[in-house]
Amino acid sequence: MSRLFIKFNVFLLICFATSQIFAQGTVQSVKSEDFDDGILEKARNEYWNNIRTSGEEKDLAKIERNAYNAMHSMENREAFKSLSQPAWQPIAGSQGGHNSGRVRDITADPTNPNAVYISTASGGVWKTDNITTNPVQWINLSDRLPTLMGGAIAFAPPSTLLLGTGEGEGDGYKFPPGQGLFKSTDGGNNWAQVSAIGGAYAQIVIDSINPQIAYAAYNNNGYPSQSGSILKSIDGGTTWRKLTLSLGGPISIGYNTHNPLVLVAGGFGSIWRSADSGATWTKSITGLSGSIGRVAIANAPGDQNLYYASIGSGSSTNGVFMSTDAGLTWKKMTAATPPPLLGSQAQWCNAIAVSSSNTKQVYVAGLDLYGSNDNGATWVQKSTQAVAPGDYPSNYVHADHHRLKFIGNTLYDCGDGGLAKSTSFPYNNWNTAINKGLATLQFVGVDADVNFSFVTGGCQDNSTNRALINASDFIQTRGGDGGRGWVSPNDPSIVYTTYVRTTFYQSLDGGLNFNGSNLMEPNATLYRIDELNQGNGEGSPFYPAYDVSRDGNIVAFGGNSHIWMSVSGGQDNFTSVPPSKSTQVGTSNVIHLWQGEDQTSFMWAGSGNNVWRSIDQGVTWVSKSVGELVEGITSNPNNHNEIFVVTQGNSNGGGTQTTQKHFFKSEDGGVTFTNPATNFPPIGCWSIAYSPKNGALYVGTDKGVVFSYDGGVTWFPLMNGMPLAEVMSLKIKGHGNDTLLAGTYGRGMFYIDLSNLAGINSGAAASLPVSLESAHPNPITSENATIGFSLKSAGLATLTIHDLLGRELRILEKSYFDAGRHQTSFTTNGLSSGTYFVMLTANGTSVSQKIIVN
């Protein structure tokens, strides 16, 4: 996990956070807010992964593949393809700025080094035809791939791209794996999966003499042990076979352009060498010393026998080693007391590159970037981090570096803040403005003012960001990781955000400047390092849940199994409600909180599989299990008894959890829940929004957005212009509640105009393949009723009655009907009093209407 600012140690941070982190109304001048990046990175990945594997299915690759298949199938149903929908638009259209989301790898067309391709952590593959333009014109090439988790990428003329998906790290980080290897023969316009082997790819190299030969290093991202290997293709990447090498999380291949028979591979714990194109391997450890942790390898392009290895030792630097015999033996080159070349996170960041024109010039990067002109004997720091948001000196490069690569004489740096380049020796000046146009920020939670004039949101690795709706990019308003954003609907000058765990911030100028407080200090009842077993164990989720009353005064904050409340906008010491463990809210992290709009005494919390309800502002709570991990809660502002819940937790089709519902509804304030959906896709969900204008529901899933206009019975994809990305946050804004804001984890922010969405607004239903009118009378008191429906084209139509659990009770009609409007009479004889749904299925889609039988 990266740092936008230089890091402090734990104790200095805690003291600083409570006393003077930010001065009200001034630009922050703190440096780091991360105290042990390795621990935090592992905690963050566990947070996301534990949520997605909370059900029966634990295979993250399978979960993602199933989600893709579900949304792909939903989008491609003829009924949905024929819908006319408005398009999603990116917020701050070019996005990026000096920082974008994490970039994993870079490649270029050797015949045109200005044509550059990059792979990003969760934003997929991007290209530019001219990296020298200002601003750079970036194009996304992968929004419809099964995964947007880009790992390694390589280019072979004239137009072949090889992409290895998943972040190839290992060493305990357990990144969600990708979906194997993909190949494009037309410059990334179209892709085909060519291998499903491996969990995550760290590097791909293509033989410079015979481009039909390629190698791909992958690892399985499992911990506490890592495993993986290198794959080889001899047909241009169409088919692959596993080499005999078994290596702890291979992440680096030293490839010799003058002698392609020689391969030197570095992973975790060792270096391996092959002299026969990977057919056989031997350990290459002669001359190595000290603890061998993560190893990065680079060959000097001008010398087939000269290799360098940057070696970590746990979280610190071991040193840089040199081989002058093509990797047979090694000699340590760094001085007795070298600078901390990799910082304190060698297991997370370790990159190395050798100059294309001078074999003595070596560059190594971990937390920061260093250069040597004497084969690695002495080093000079080449990059610095910003000292305040918006402060970008000429040698600024975002902390945490993952790949260094020379393309010609230009040195490119891929890291947690995106892409940077330096065009000439001594590589002290860096261009980070090339990130402008890369919409790859990983938003955790977003919000906007009620008039939709500005947006704010927190990002993994890239701070809290703010943008005017018509602005060209985001500005960073505070440092470190950013959490969930909130803007007061009554007073847009009041804005909240968080850092990881319990560091909480308030802004009184619309999110431009923030006051900071480490929650519950000085009593130390709850603060972020507790979850790392350095405190009293109460802890908090990595990205804490909180909600605020409409006036901005009552802040409810979720920490482990407790809820903490402030009645002064978060600027006092929070009080635990309930106050004792015996009445705590469940036994799991509180990962969602919702205070009913205009109903400040009503609160709902998601903890594990339970929805907790309080009608006295958190003093007492009762719970109801929905059987799946609660991720999102919302309510009808006009009826606080109408609650909607979405969940994560995926089924593997066996055991006790044989189905996955992911959407639940309550009409009695959370006392009971039903699952009325008839076609909700089997995809894990992160967020939900309710339209007070017309009762429509919108859900953010692992692969985009779906919506319902009939109370959650019938669902449609809302994907015109939306990538297949995780939608972490949804908010409805605008004067007429006609704008839906979405924050994605890896593709930035989007918004869509709902005013012309088919099925939602008056007159729009005519554009649907079918439409169903309300029954008459309704409520039905005489057992007999009529219902009208319309078909856009002739075909078989079925009318059925269902209960609130979605079970079919009777068939009213099943006949062939001409296009146009029809009406049928039916009876409710034999149905007990209660609420039911009449469903119409025709023309490849289903719609429904609620009926009440008295």
Side-chain angles (χ1 to χ4, degrees), residues 273-320:
R273 181 182 187 273
S274 173
D276 53 12
S277 298
T280 60
W281 295 83
T282 58
K283 270 191 177 182
S284 175
I285 58 175
T286 302
L288 298 183
S289 61
S291 175
I292 309 300
R294 176 174 174 157
V295 181
I297 303 287
N299 171 244
D303 187 340
Q304 67 179 21
N305 293 313
L306 183 57
Y307 285 78
Y308 293 91
S310 172
I311 301 180
S313 173
S315 62
S316 60
T317 304
N318 178 336
V320 174

Side-chain angles (χ1 to χ4, degrees), residues 479-502:
D481 273 50
R484 308 176 195 274
W486 184 89
V487 182
S488 169
N490 291 349
D491 183 354
S493 65
I494 302 174
V495 178
Y496 292 102
T497 190
T498 64
Y499 176 57
V500 299
R501 299 190 176 86
T502 60

Side-chain angles (χ1 to χ4, degrees), residues 540-676:
S540 161
F542 190 86
Y543 290 114
Y546 70 94
D547 200 16
V548 191
S549 59
R550 291 180 65 89
D551 59 12
N553 290 325
I554 302 172
V555 181
F557 190 96
N560 200 323
S561 55
H562 275 63
I563 291 172
W564 304 76
M565 292 186 67
S566 166
V567 294
S568 63
Q571 299 308 296
D572 61 353
N573 290 335
F574 281 56
T575 302
S576 175
V577 289
S580 69
K581 289 264 186 179
S582 61
T583 54
Q584 65 194 35
V585 180
T587 58
S588 305
N589 279 343
V590 176
I591 56 176
H592 191 82
L593 276 169
W594 176 258
Q595 296 190 67
E597 295 187 50
D598 298 325
Q599 297 282 348
T600 55
S601 61
F602 288 86
M603 296 176 63
W604 292 268
S607 175
N609 293 348
N610 293 299
V611 178
W612 290 77
R613 174 178 60 122
S614 174
I615 62 174
D616 52 15
Q617 206 170 80
V619 177
T620 59
W621 295 83
V622 294
S623 69
K624 180 67 177 180
S625 174
V626 294
E628 296 172 1
L629 184 68
V630 176
E631 263 300 308
I633 305 173
T634 192
S635 61
N636 180 347
N638 301 312
N639 178 6
H640 61 261
N641 284 316
E642 195 168 30
I643 312 300
F644 307 93
V645 174
V646 292
T647 64
Q648 278 281 344
N650 295 275
S651 169
N652 62 14
T656 57
Q657 185 188 341
T658 56
T659 60
Q660 44 188 328
K661 298 182 175 68
H662 291 326
F663 171 77
F664 299 88
K665 178 180 180 179
S666 175
E667 295 184 294
D668 53 17
V671 177
T672 60
F673 282 91
T674 61
N675 174 238

Side-chain angles (χ1 to χ4, degrees), residues 774-786 826-828 831-838 849-854:
S774 297
H776 180 78
N778 194 14
I780 303 170
T781 57
S782 62
E783 295 184 350
N784 295 310
T786 60
F826 66 97
T827 178
T828 60
L831 296 180
S832 58
S833 296
T835 301
Y836 301 87
F837 287 93
V838 175
Q849 289 285 353
K850 182 167 64 175
I851 60 171
I852 299 174
V853 177
N854 287 337

Side-chain angles (χ1 to χ4, degrees), residues 158-463:
S159 56
T160 293
L161 280 170
L162 298 178
L163 171 67
T165 59
E167 295 198 72
E169 288 298 336
D171 196 38
Y173 290 99
K174 199 177 182 181
F175 277 94
Q179 297 295 316
L181 284 161
F182 292 79
K183 178 181 178 179
S184 172
T185 58
D186 57 6
N189 294 318
N190 296 280
W191 296 90
Q193 186 181 38
V194 291
S195 175
I197 298 175
Y201 286 80
Q203 189 174 359
I204 299 174
V205 295
I206 296 175
D207 191 303
S208 58
I209 298 175
N210 180 4
Q212 292 297 301
I213 298 175
Y215 303 90
Y218 75 95
N219 65 65
N220 292 329
N221 277 334
Y223 62 86
S225 63
Q226 297 79 42
S227 63
S229 188
I230 294 176
L231 305 181
K232 181 178 181 178
S233 174
I234 59 173
D235 57 7
T238 300
T239 61
W240 298 81
R241 64 180 178 88
K242 182 179 177 181
L243 300 180
T244 57
L245 175 69
S246 180
L247 184 65
I251 47 91
S252 183
I253 303 175
Y255 175 75
N256 193 318
T257 57
H258 300 284
N259 183 4
L261 294 177
V262 175
L263 297 171
V264 182
F268 289 88
S270 188
I271 298 174
W272 291 76
R273 181 182 187 273
S274 173
D276 53 12
S277 298
T280 60
W281 295 83
T282 58
K283 270 191 177 182
S284 175
I285 58 175
T286 302
L288 298 183
S289 61
S291 175
I292 309 300
R294 176 174 174 157
V295 181
I297 303 287
N299 171 244
D303 187 340
Q304 67 179 21
N305 293 313
L306 183 57
Y307 285 78
Y308 293 91
S310 172
I311 301 180
S313 173
S315 62
S316 60
T317 304
N318 178 336
V320 174
F321 293 75
M322 182 176 71
S323 173
T324 57
D325 53 12
L328 287 170
T329 61
W330 299 90
K331 177 184 177 182
K332 192 169 186 176
M333 298 302 296
T334 43
T337 55
L341 298 179
L342 303 179
S344 61
Q345 52 192 54
Q347 80 280 42
W348 165 235
C349 301
N350 186 355
I352 187 170
V354 186
S355 169
S356 302
S357 58
N358 188 335
T359 60
K360 292 185 177 182
Q361 293 177 8
V362 188
Y363 299 85
V364 171
L367 174 63
D368 291 302
L369 192 150
Y370 291 82
S372 171
N373 296 328
D374 53 11
N375 300 105
T378 59
W379 296 87
V380 176
Q381 187 168 336
K382 297 293 183 179
S383 70
T384 188
Q385 303 163 48
V387 296
D391 180 4
Y392 303 107
S394 62
N395 62 343
Y396 164 74
V397 183
H398 190 290
D400 293 5
H401 310 264
H402 297 286
R403 178 78 74 214
L404 293 175
K405 183 174 286 188
F406 275 95
I407 299 176
N409 288 319
T410 297
L411 179 58
Y412 286 92
D413 179 288
C414 305
D416 279 2
L419 190 64
K421 74 171 184 176
S422 185
T423 57
S424 61
F425 181 81
Y427 302 107
N428 291 326
N429 296 309
W430 291 89
N431 180 355
T432 55
I434 57 176
N435 287 293
K436 190 169 184 177
L438 286 175
T440 56
L441 288 172
Q442 296 166 300
F443 280 101
V444 176
V446 301
D447 203 359
D449 67 304
V450 68
N451 295 324
F452 203 64
S453 62
F454 74 88
V455 295
T456 184
C459 297
Q460 174 182 320
D461 292 325
N462 283 287
S463 314

Side-chain angles (χ1 to χ4, degrees), residues 38-47 501 531-532 542:
I39 294 176
L40 285 178
E41 189 63 39
K42 186 180 293 186
R44 181 207 289 142
N45 290 323
E46 288 177 342
Y47 172 78
R501 299 190 176 86
E531 189 169 90
L532 308 182
F542 190 86

